[in-house]
Amino acid sequence: MPPIVSAGRLRNSPYYESTIAEGAESFLTYNRMLIPRGYGDREAEYWRLINSVSMWDVAVQRQVQLKGPDAARLAQILCTRNLSKQQIGQGKYVAVCDHLGTLINDPIALKIDDNCYWLSIGNSDIWFWARCVAGERRLNVEVSEPDVSPLAVQGPNAEDVVASLVGDWVRSLKYFWFRDAMLGDIPLKVARSGWSKQGGFELYLMDGSKGDHLWQLVKEAGKPFDIGPGYPNPSERTESGLLNWGVDTDEMTNPFEVRMGTYVDLDLDDDVIGIKALRRIKAEGIRRHQLGIIADRNYENEDQSIWLEIEKDGVVIGHMTHKAWSYRLQAMIGYALVSIDANPGDAIEVLENGRRVSGSLSELPFVM
Ligand code: THG
């Protein structure tokens, strides 16, 4: 393949030089940036996350900042979860939907103060969406992307590492809550969060010029626990049932189909985008739902194809949206977005490049 030229359109993470020095082996595009995709030993990176601690450049998780007198109002118009009781310093996992009730992002909404919210977004252009909505609804709010770049510290020893850096107060931080901290001259927000179920923190770096310095400090603090670089781990996240918007979802997916119904409050005001459609969808009943798939045998994992057809009794019932090798289950696992008539335990076949892989549907998550 000829080289792909980004012509400055792919922005570097503040941790870019550090991740190159650590031996990042490839990158993914995400929010018009690059995220490192592994450091050469997939299995070691996985077990480090499960057994000790791993550090990830997740600067691609950009913040869409809503600031001004109408910030709270705009946040609520954009999110189908009730934010009225959200406290300053609290994050909430939310669904952002369009007017048809389609899920267009699944950010963490952080309440910075009464007039400022951050939406910590997945891979879609919510900045444009929020600006458009603010203008159309004539709201007094400024939408921007501030200089904020999260660094994730994940795994059972993450708390010890982060406490040694910023103090023991982090040990009592509740899930998705955050607080400001200075690490020397490095301004941070420290949140208990991250895209794994192994526990951990995200250090929201608020000065991009200090990325490589922060990386070194975390690496140093993690040495006693054998910290190493990693990235949002495909195997662990699949075992743990975490959603990857844009991979596990298509341009029709609503929150109920992908286990996000608990983050939809149907009694919110009608001005919340998508809420009327979601009421109708709920009343009519969803046609698809997300389940797990376990293949009957291990097979070549290198094929990155996603959205492969799934058959049950010779009839196509939906798609396998992605797959990953599970080190803990020693099996090939994945997610299925299939007809509501399909159930855990059903025998199915996945059509992969002309061959048939047999397996069965299962509950999510695979590992609690
Ligand atoms: N951290 C930050 N920003 C992010 C992500 C992150 N933006 C993009 C992406 N990840 C957003 N998506 C998710 C998806 C799942 C979770 C968090 C962000 C998650 N879910 C748990 C679950 O589903 O079990 C917990 C949900 C809950 O308890 O409310 O953690 O990782 N900064």
Side-chain angles (χ1 to χ4, degrees):
M1 193 168 75
I4 297 171
V5 177
S6 80
R9 284 166 195 255
L10 284 172
R11 303 166 294 173
N12 278 350
S13 155
Y15 314 112
Y16 179 75
E17 297 298 338
S18 297
T19 60
I20 292 292
E22 298 282 356
E25 56 172 334
S26 63
F27 290 83
L28 278 175
T29 58
Y30 193 106
N31 281 334
R32 284 170 283 124
M33 291 181 70
L34 295 171
I35 177 170
R37 194 174 155 280
Y39 294 82
D41 188 342
R42 243 184 257 188
E43 182 161 6
E45 285 170 35
Y46 172 87
W47 287 115
R48 195 176 274 126
L49 169 62
I50 303 295
N51 295 326
S52 56
V53 57
S54 178
M55 61 191 289
W56 308 344
D57 171 1
V58 287
V60 297
Q61 295 170 356
R62 300 317 284 171
Q63 310 308 304
V64 175
Q65 177 171 282
L66 319 177
K67 197 176 170 71
D70 288 332
R73 179 108 197 283
L74 178 58
Q76 187 61 87
I77 288 169
L78 296 174
C79 302
T80 62
R81 181 175 187 179
N82 188 340
L83 301 180
S84 64
K85 298 209 169 63
Q86 187 175 10
Q87 311 276 309
I88 295 170
Q90 184 180 19
K92 279 178 183 268
Y93 183 42
V94 297
V96 175
C97 294
D98 68 9
H99 301 76
L100 302 175
T102 306
L103 186 67
I104 60 170
N105 209 294
D106 66 332
I108 297 166
L110 296 91
K111 183 170 180 175
I112 306 300
D113 63 45
D114 285 332
N115 295 319
C116 186
Y117 287 73
W118 288 354
L119 298 179
S120 183
I121 60 171
N123 185 27
S124 73
D125 285 315
I126 294 307
W127 185 92
F128 291 113
W129 179 254
R131 278 209 168 184
C132 176
V133 173
E136 291 290 318
R137 303 278 176 114
R138 301 177 191 285
L139 299 176
N140 185 359
V141 57
E142 186 185 297
V143 179
S144 63
E145 190 191 284
D147 175 11
V148 176
S149 302
L151 177 67
V153 187
Q154 299 287 297
N157 293 127
E159 189 173 287
D160 293 324
V161 174
V162 176
S164 78
L165 286 166
V166 297
D168 274 330
W169 60 267
V170 297
R171 297 186 190 277
S172 50
L173 203 57
K174 285 181 286 185
Y175 200 68
F176 280 151
W177 287 67
F178 60 93
R179 231 175 86 178
D180 282 307
M182 287 301 288
L183 182 54
D185 65 345
I186 307 177
L188 303 172
K189 290 190 194 298
V190 179
R192 189 186 286 276
S193 63
W195 208 57
S196 87
K197 283 288 190 184
Q198 305 313 308
F201 294 82
E202 289 179 310
L203 312 178
Y204 287 75
L205 169 66
M206 299 194 287
D207 178 349
S209 72
K210 302 195 160 80
D212 293 318
H213 189 196
L214 177 61
W215 184 278
Q216 283 312 316
L217 292 173
V218 173
K219 185 177 174 179
E220 199 56 40
K223 278 218 170 106
F225 307 100
D226 186 32
I227 200 168
Y231 83 110
N233 194 279
S235 177
E236 191 278 342
R237 81 97 176 173
T238 308
E239 294 169 341
S240 298
L242 293 176
L243 186 71
N244 191 0
W245 184 91
V247 173
D248 311 335
T249 61
D250 62 11
E251 63 288 346
M252 311 269 283
T253 308
N254 67 60
F256 303 117
E257 293 177 322
V258 288
R259 302 174 294 124
M260 286 193 75
T262 49
Y263 311 116
V264 175
D265 292 307
L266 291 174
D267 55 359
L268 282 168
D269 286 348
D270 286 359
D271 69 355
V272 173
I273 297 176
I275 208 72
K276 286 192 273 190
L278 290 169
R279 284 186 207 127
R280 200 165 53 239
I281 290 166
K282 180 81 177 180
E284 286 171 3
I286 52 170
R287 290 192 281 266
R288 303 185 295 181
H289 62 162
Q290 188 182 46
L291 296 172
I293 292 185
I294 304 185
D296 288 340
R297 61 186 175 80
N298 185 15
Y299 62 101
E300 281 296 311
N301 190 27
E302 292 313 314
D303 183 351
Q304 293 288 319
S305 322
I306 54 170
W307 287 80
L308 303 169
E309 284 187 341
I310 298 174
E311 280 186 7
K312 179 183 151 189
D313 303 327
V315 178
V316 175
I317 58 162
H319 296 88
M320 177 163 85
T321 55
H322 86 285
K323 63 175 190 270
W325 174 251
S326 168
Y327 294 98
R328 281 179 290 181
L329 301 180
Q330 289 294 303
M332 191 61 74
I333 60 174
Y335 292 174
L337 194 54
V338 285
S339 160
I340 199 75
D341 300 323
N343 293 299
D346 288 354
I348 50 96
E349 284 187 319
V350 179
L351 278 61
E352 186 175 80
N353 299 332
R355 61 183 175 160
R356 291 169 171 273
V357 178
S358 66
S360 56
L361 298 176
S362 70
E363 303 276 7
L364 287 173
F366 290 99
V367 180
M368 283 298 251

